[in-house]
Every structure is written in C-alpha cells, then in structure tokens.
Amino acid sequence: MSQLRLLVDNFTVAGATEAHLDLPPPVTERLSREAGSVAYRIVVEGLTNVRRHAPDASRATVAFTPTATTVEIRITNDRGAGPSARRVSRSGGLGLPALTEHAQALGGTLAAGPHGDGGWQLTAVLPAAPPKKTTP
C-alpha cells in the first residue's frame, strides 16, 4: 500500500491518461496486510485495464473510501476524446476473475462495468478494522 502514490504517479507519466489518487490517511492502517496486498493488486489491474482498453481516456481516478467496517476501492475512467473504448478480450492473465476470488476470500466483493458516458468503473469492497479511537 505504501507504493500506491508512486504507482498512480508513474501511470500518469507513462501515458496520456491523468490519474488521481484519493487515499485518506487512516485507510492504510485499517486494512490487514493481506487486504492491503489485494487492494494494491486491484489498483494495478484497474489501471492496467484503463491503459489496455481505454487508451484515449483523459482521466482515471483511484479512490479509497473507508466506512465503519470496510474500505471501498473505486477506479473509474472517462471515455476520453478518442474513439470509443476498446474492450478487447485477451487471454493469458488472471485479471478480474482472480481478483474477484481474492476479494471474496477476504469477505469482500469486486465488480466492474460501464460507468457514465462511455467510461468504466471497477469497485471493490474489502473488510477493514474499525477506526482507531483517539483518546482526549
């Protein structure tokens, strides 16, 4: 999880899509080591899919949203100014089906599908430790 900002920054530098990361500070301490590893892999897969299937997207957003018992990871991209996004099936990788299994093994969920006007969205919800209470 500590490498997420670098991952998103490198994604932006390497292509035409500008990526943004919204990662509130308490998120990383609320995910177990295993859930943090799965979260990182989900972001890698989500950004890889943007690059592969929507190379003309102008923007991608990676947002982590904590709740009382979960952390939601949402990766979205717009359609961009170019031709419609290419949804090409390629074999060889494990991709979303394998990540869905990992999320489910932790007690979470993962789903992906069309979003907005020609964009795409990947949403995962992983279990998290309750927020730490601060003592006055």
Side-chain angles (χ1 to χ4, degrees):
M1 290 284 295
S2 64
Q3 298 296 313
L4 274 174
R5 187 146 321 271
L6 181 61
L7 173 69
V8 172
D9 289 346
N10 285 342
F11 177 85
T12 296
V13 169
T17 306
E18 184 177 344
H20 297 275
L21 175 64
D22 181 10
L23 181 65
V27 167
T28 55
E29 62 193 42
R30 297 208 30 229
L31 290 173
S32 69
R33 186 177 196 176
E34 186 177 12
S37 175
V38 170
Y40 184 85
R41 291 175 61 190
I42 288 168
V43 174
V44 168
E45 181 68 18
L47 292 176
T48 299
N49 286 346
V50 171
R51 185 80 72 222
R52 180 179 292 150
H53 302 297
D56 296 321
S58 61
R59 181 178 176 90
T61 302
V62 177
F64 284 74
T65 306
T67 70
T69 60
T70 66
V71 170
E72 179 186 84
I73 306 158
R74 188 176 303 255
I75 304 162
T76 58
N77 64 272
D78 64 7
R79 185 171 105 176
S84 61
R86 295 176 286 159
R87 299 284 170 209
V88 178
S89 175
R90 295 186 184 179
S91 61
L94 298 177
L96 295 178
L99 289 177
T100 300
E101 288 181 17
H102 286 299
Q104 289 172 342
L106 293 172
T109 62
L110 187 140
H115 169 72
D117 186 24
W120 193 258
Q121 177 172 276
L122 183 153
T123 304
V125 178
L126 300 177
K132 291 183 180 177
K133 295 190 192 263
T134 56
T135 55

Short mmCIF file of all heavy atoms in Angstrom, two decimals, residues 32 34-39 100-109 125-128:
data_model
loop_
_atom_site.label_atom_id
_atom_site.label_comp_id
_atom_site.label_asym_id
_atom_site.label_seq_id
_atom_site.Cartn_x
_atom_site.Cartn_y
_atom_site.Cartn_z
N SER A 32 -5.85 -5.07 6.73
CA SER A 32 -4.86 -6.06 7.12
C SER A 32 -3.77 -6.10 6.06
O SER A 32 -3.93 -5.58 4.95
CB SER A 32 -5.52 -7.44 7.26
OG SER A 32 -5.91 -7.92 5.97
N GLU A 34 -2.87 -8.64 4.31
CA GLU A 34 -3.38 -9.37 3.16
C GLU A 34 -4.37 -8.52 2.36
O GLU A 34 -4.29 -8.46 1.13
CB GLU A 34 -4.06 -10.66 3.61
CG GLU A 34 -4.49 -11.54 2.47
CD GLU A 34 -5.10 -12.85 2.94
OE1 GLU A 34 -5.39 -13.01 4.13
OE2 GLU A 34 -5.27 -13.72 2.07
N ALA A 35 -5.27 -7.81 3.04
CA ALA A 35 -6.23 -6.95 2.34
C ALA A 35 -5.50 -5.80 1.65
O ALA A 35 -5.88 -5.40 0.54
CB ALA A 35 -7.28 -6.42 3.31
N GLY A 36 -4.46 -5.27 2.27
CA GLY A 36 -3.67 -4.21 1.63
C GLY A 36 -2.99 -4.70 0.36
O GLY A 36 -2.94 -3.98 -0.64
N SER A 37 -2.51 -5.93 0.40
CA SER A 37 -1.88 -6.52 -0.78
C SER A 37 -2.91 -6.71 -1.91
O SER A 37 -2.63 -6.40 -3.08
CB SER A 37 -1.24 -7.86 -0.42
OG SER A 37 -0.72 -8.50 -1.55
N VAL A 38 -4.09 -7.19 -1.57
CA VAL A 38 -5.15 -7.35 -2.56
C VAL A 38 -5.57 -5.99 -3.10
O VAL A 38 -5.78 -5.83 -4.30
CB VAL A 38 -6.35 -8.14 -1.97
CG1 VAL A 38 -7.55 -8.11 -2.90
CG2 VAL A 38 -5.94 -9.58 -1.67
N ALA A 39 -5.68 -4.99 -2.23
CA ALA A 39 -6.05 -3.64 -2.67
C ALA A 39 -5.05 -3.11 -3.69
O ALA A 39 -5.43 -2.54 -4.71
CB ALA A 39 -6.15 -2.70 -1.47
N THR A 100 -11.44 -11.01 -8.12
CA THR A 100 -12.75 -11.19 -7.50
C THR A 100 -12.68 -12.32 -6.48
O THR A 100 -13.19 -12.19 -5.36
CB THR A 100 -13.82 -11.50 -8.57
OG1 THR A 100 -13.88 -10.40 -9.48
CG2 THR A 100 -15.19 -11.73 -7.95
N GLU A 101 -12.01 -13.42 -6.83
CA GLU A 101 -11.84 -14.53 -5.90
C GLU A 101 -11.05 -14.11 -4.67
O GLU A 101 -11.40 -14.48 -3.54
CB GLU A 101 -11.15 -15.70 -6.59
CG GLU A 101 -12.02 -16.43 -7.59
CD GLU A 101 -11.30 -17.60 -8.23
OE1 GLU A 101 -10.26 -18.06 -7.70
OE2 GLU A 101 -11.78 -18.05 -9.29
N HIS A 102 -10.00 -13.33 -4.86
CA HIS A 102 -9.20 -12.85 -3.71
C HIS A 102 -10.05 -11.98 -2.79
O HIS A 102 -10.00 -12.12 -1.57
CB HIS A 102 -7.97 -12.07 -4.18
CG HIS A 102 -6.89 -12.92 -4.75
ND1 HIS A 102 -6.23 -13.89 -4.05
CD2 HIS A 102 -6.35 -12.94 -5.99
CE1 HIS A 102 -5.33 -14.47 -4.80
NE2 HIS A 102 -5.37 -13.91 -6.00
N ALA A 103 -10.82 -11.06 -3.38
CA ALA A 103 -11.67 -10.19 -2.58
C ALA A 103 -12.70 -11.01 -1.81
O ALA A 103 -12.93 -10.79 -0.61
CB ALA A 103 -12.36 -9.15 -3.47
N GLN A 104 -13.32 -11.98 -2.48
CA GLN A 104 -14.33 -12.82 -1.84
C GLN A 104 -13.71 -13.67 -0.73
O GLN A 104 -14.35 -13.90 0.30
CB GLN A 104 -15.03 -13.69 -2.87
CG GLN A 104 -15.93 -12.90 -3.79
CD GLN A 104 -16.49 -13.72 -4.94
OE1 GLN A 104 -15.98 -14.79 -5.28
NE2 GLN A 104 -17.54 -13.20 -5.55
N ALA A 105 -12.49 -14.15 -0.91
CA ALA A 105 -11.82 -14.94 0.11
C ALA A 105 -11.60 -14.13 1.39
O ALA A 105 -11.56 -14.69 2.50
CB ALA A 105 -10.49 -15.47 -0.41
N LEU A 106 -11.49 -12.81 1.24
CA LEU A 106 -11.32 -11.94 2.40
C LEU A 106 -12.67 -11.52 3.00
O LEU A 106 -12.70 -10.82 4.00
CB LEU A 106 -10.55 -10.68 2.00
CG LEU A 106 -9.10 -10.86 1.60
CD1 LEU A 106 -8.53 -9.56 1.04
CD2 LEU A 106 -8.27 -11.33 2.79
N GLY A 107 -13.76 -11.89 2.33
CA GLY A 107 -15.09 -11.47 2.78
C GLY A 107 -15.56 -10.21 2.09
O GLY A 107 -16.50 -9.55 2.55
N GLY A 108 -14.93 -9.87 0.95
CA GLY A 108 -15.28 -8.66 0.22
C GLY A 108 -15.93 -8.96 -1.12
O GLY A 108 -16.32 -10.09 -1.40
N THR A 109 -16.03 -7.92 -1.93
CA THR A 109 -16.64 -8.04 -3.26
C THR A 109 -15.82 -7.26 -4.28
O THR A 109 -15.03 -6.38 -3.91
CB THR A 109 -18.08 -7.46 -3.27
OG1 THR A 109 -18.02 -6.06 -2.96
CG2 THR A 109 -18.98 -8.17 -2.28
N VAL A 125 -14.91 -3.83 -2.45
CA VAL A 125 -15.17 -3.53 -1.04
C VAL A 125 -14.47 -4.62 -0.24
O VAL A 125 -14.75 -5.81 -0.42
CB VAL A 125 -16.68 -3.49 -0.73
CG1 VAL A 125 -16.90 -3.22 0.75
CG2 VAL A 125 -17.38 -2.43 -1.58
N LEU A 126 -13.53 -4.19 0.61
CA LEU A 126 -12.77 -5.13 1.43
C LEU A 126 -13.06 -4.87 2.90
O LEU A 126 -13.23 -3.72 3.31
CB LEU A 126 -11.27 -4.96 1.17
CG LEU A 126 -10.80 -5.19 -0.26
CD1 LEU A 126 -9.30 -4.93 -0.38
CD2 LEU A 126 -11.14 -6.61 -0.72
N PRO A 127 -13.07 -5.93 3.72
CA PRO A 127 -13.29 -5.73 5.16
C PRO A 127 -12.11 -4.97 5.76
O PRO A 127 -10.97 -5.10 5.31
CB PRO A 127 -13.38 -7.15 5.71
CG PRO A 127 -12.76 -8.02 4.69
CD PRO A 127 -12.87 -7.32 3.37
N ALA A 128 -12.43 -4.18 6.78
CA ALA A 128 -11.39 -3.37 7.43
C ALA A 128 -11.60 -3.38 8.94
O ALA A 128 -12.70 -3.61 9.43
CB ALA A 128 -11.45 -1.93 6.91
#
